[in-house]
Amino acid sequence: MTDFTASKESIDFLLRQLTDIKNEVPDEDGIREIVDLWKDEESGEVNQAWMEHLEWLIGSFVSEQEV
């Protein structure tokens, strides 16, 4: 995807969701399953490439808010 249109409220919502995922904030069920999918089974560490992509997404939404 290279472009999309969204309301300020939608961008705010997505930014909160992505930030919560990055910070492993528990969701309504009390866990954040998506993070577990990206953890190395042996070390328990989150895959660095996935974390970099998540940080890029968050930065993109923050930049969009500033426009």
Side-chain angles (χ1 to χ4, degrees), residues 27-57:
D27 60 14
E28 300 82 28
D29 298 332
I31 53 176
R32 197 50 82 175
E33 296 94 344
I34 188 75
V35 176
D36 290 337
L37 295 173
W38 290 96
K39 286 186 176 178
D40 181 88
E41 290 182 22
E42 292 179 22
S43 71
E45 296 293 318
V46 174
N47 179 284
Q48 188 61 33
W50 182 77
M51 185 57 73
E52 289 172 5
H53 180 66
L54 185 58
E55 290 172 354
W56 177 84
L57 285 171

Side-chain angles (χ1 to χ4, degrees), residues 4-5 18-19 21 24 30-31 36-37 41 43 46 67:
F4 67 91
T5 303
L18 291 170
T19 302
I21 289 168
E24 297 186 46
I31 53 176
D36 290 337
L37 295 173
E41 290 182 22
S43 71
V46 174
V67 172

Side-chain angles (χ1 to χ4, degrees), residues 2 4 6-8 17 25 30 32 36 44 52 56 60-61:
T2 59
F4 67 91
S7 68
K8 180 180 179 348
Q17 293 295 313
V25 174
R32 197 50 82 175
D36 290 337
E52 289 172 5
W56 177 84
S60 297
F61 283 112

